[in-house]
Amino acid sequence: MTSTVLTFLDPAFPDGRVEDATKPQLFATDLGATRGDGVFETLLVMDGHVRKLPAHLRRLASSARLLELDVPDHEAWERAIMTALDEYQRTVAPLQEVVVKLVATRGVEGAHAPTCWVAASAPAPAAKRQREEGIDVLLLDRGYDSDVAERAPWLLLGAKTLSYAVNMAALRYAHAHGADDVIFTSEDGKVLEGPTSTVLIAHAEKDDAGRVTLRRLVTPQLDSGILPGTSQGALFAAAKEAGWELGYGPLEPDDLFDADAVWLISSVRLLTPVKHVDGKPIGSDPELAKALTAELAGLFDAIA
């Protein structure tokens, strides 16, 4: 029995068409497989609740527009997600923690119709472990300057496309060199993002009694050729309500080392502390970093 449930969006099946994930489902001529021509979103279900669904659907639609790709409307995706989760709960496990992936390709070459599906599966064990234990990362040059997204929109740097070969190669490079993940930098020395995550840094100020009096949360500039993070956006809104000051770069590598805490944040791995960058420790006060992480994690857990 497979632990993955597939639901295809199909006009003949308004709520989605469930298919066997153990059997072939894509044509060999599907442009998503042959050219990586498509978009996707990955979101998390916790205790039966789909987190940040409207934000993910908006970003999916935005990515599709950048690719000039026609995809089903939000309501069709929502119905297919519910069908997939009902089937997952019936055949696999309760909906305590489930990864849901939405995929839309340009479809079979020459057919002029997208191929769209929802996949529901259990999260990788490493996600929870890294969230709890923290990670070591390498800084890697992405090979573009931070203005390239505006100058060359055909690079699709603001879209979440299926073309993830470079991102996966960067992760393999990190693993081969003893690290867990990567933070990309631009040719002009700006901090960008992780292959599958957004970068956050924090600074805190204390009074004479050692109490934290100011918390500032900063992320790289969104116009620097990075993917706008749904988790970052939601966490910023919650942090602002809780009294944190917010900022949007520009950030340089030295800012990482000067921070009291650094995290990579994503929809599946959630808020993951960075322990070392290029072998150098982050933050001079581990207890402060731990307290900041706990506070932000509590805010993030409450996000719908």
Side-chain angles (χ1 to χ4, degrees), residues 7-119:
T7 302
F8 281 79
L9 281 75
D10 184 332
F13 296 82
D15 294 328
R17 168 171 50 87
V18 177
E19 294 290 348
D20 188 345
T22 66
K23 297 180 179 179
Q25 299 296 338
L26 287 184
F27 285 98
T29 52
D30 192 291
L31 292 168
T34 60
R35 296 183 178 176
D37 193 355
V39 298
F40 77 100
E41 284 289 323
T42 306
L43 46 97
L44 190 64
V45 176
M46 297 287 285
D47 297 324
H49 177 70
V50 185
R51 293 171 61 96
K52 303 186 278 87
L53 179 57
H56 282 287
L57 291 176
R58 285 194 299 270
R59 191 170 67 179
L60 182 74
S62 175
S63 295
R65 283 193 298 272
L66 289 171
L67 270 70
E68 300 180 26
L69 175 63
D70 290 329
V71 298
D73 60 26
H74 289 191
E75 289 75 17
W77 286 106
E78 289 174 2
R79 291 194 299 270
I81 291 168
M82 292 303 105
T83 297
L85 292 178
D86 287 345
E87 184 70 6
Y88 186 94
Q89 185 167 231
R90 186 180 72 83
T91 62
V92 181
L95 303 180
Q96 293 178 338
E97 188 167 347
V98 185
V99 176
V100 176
K101 192 169 186 177
L102 318 181
V103 184
T105 81
R106 204 168 296 276
V108 175
E109 191 164 4
H112 306 294
T115 304
C116 304
W117 70 92
V118 174

Side-chain angles (χ1 to χ4, degrees), residues 50-302:
V50 185
R51 293 171 61 96
K52 303 186 278 87
L53 179 57
H56 282 287
L57 291 176
R58 285 194 299 270
R59 191 170 67 179
L60 182 74
S62 175
S63 295
R65 283 193 298 272
L66 289 171
L67 270 70
E68 300 180 26
L69 175 63
D70 290 329
V71 298
D73 60 26
H74 289 191
E75 289 75 17
W77 286 106
E78 289 174 2
R79 291 194 299 270
I81 291 168
M82 292 303 105
T83 297
L85 292 178
D86 287 345
E87 184 70 6
Y88 186 94
Q89 185 167 231
R90 186 180 72 83
T91 62
V92 181
L95 303 180
Q96 293 178 338
E97 188 167 347
V98 185
V99 176
V100 176
K101 192 169 186 177
L102 318 181
V103 184
T105 81
R106 204 168 296 276
V108 175
E109 191 164 4
H112 306 294
T115 304
C116 304
W117 70 92
V118 174
S121 60
K128 183 177 181 180
R129 174 176 52 80
Q130 291 184 353
R131 187 190 315 158
E132 294 174 348
E133 298 178 3
I135 55 175
D136 297 336
V137 309
L138 297 181
L139 295 176
L140 295 184
D141 188 345
R142 178 171 263 172
Y144 301 125
D145 63 62
S146 60
D147 296 324
V148 70
E150 182 177 356
R151 191 174 66 253
W154 52 87
L155 292 176
L156 302 174
L157 294 180
K160 195 172 180 68
T161 74
L162 294 175
S163 302
Y164 257 48
V166 170
N167 288 8
M168 297 302 99
L171 288 175
R172 288 193 297 273
Y173 182 91
H175 298 161
H177 290 78
D180 303 295
D181 213 318
V182 167
I183 293 176
F184 286 122
T185 58
S186 64
E187 281 192 334
D188 52 337
K190 300 297 189 293
V191 171
L192 297 175
E193 61 190 342
T196 61
S197 58
T198 304
V199 178
L200 297 176
I201 75 170
H203 292 279
E205 294 181 5
K206 296 181 178 181
D207 60 19
D208 293 339
R211 295 184 295 262
V212 175
T213 58
L214 181 143
R215 301 164 180 82
R216 180 169 174 79
L217 192 61
V218 185
T219 196
Q221 289 175 293
L222 298 182
D223 60 358
S224 59
I226 66 175
L227 184 73
T230 60
S231 296
Q232 172 268 314
L235 183 58
F236 261 43
K240 183 177 181 180
E241 287 291 321
W244 288 63
E245 291 189 0
L246 308 178
Y248 289 88
L251 295 177
E252 298 179 355
D254 283 348
D255 294 313
L256 301 175
F257 299 112
D258 290 340
D260 291 307
V262 176
W263 304 274
L264 295 184
I265 186 172
S266 63
S267 294
V268 173
R269 197 167 50 183
L270 305 179
L271 190 71
T272 302
V274 174
K275 298 184 297 184
H276 298 87
V277 175
D278 286 347
K280 301 176 183 177
I282 295 298
S284 58
D285 187 341
E287 288 305 313
L288 174 60
K290 185 177 180 180
L292 294 173
T293 299
E295 183 173 346
L296 280 182
L299 295 175
F300 197 38
D301 286 344

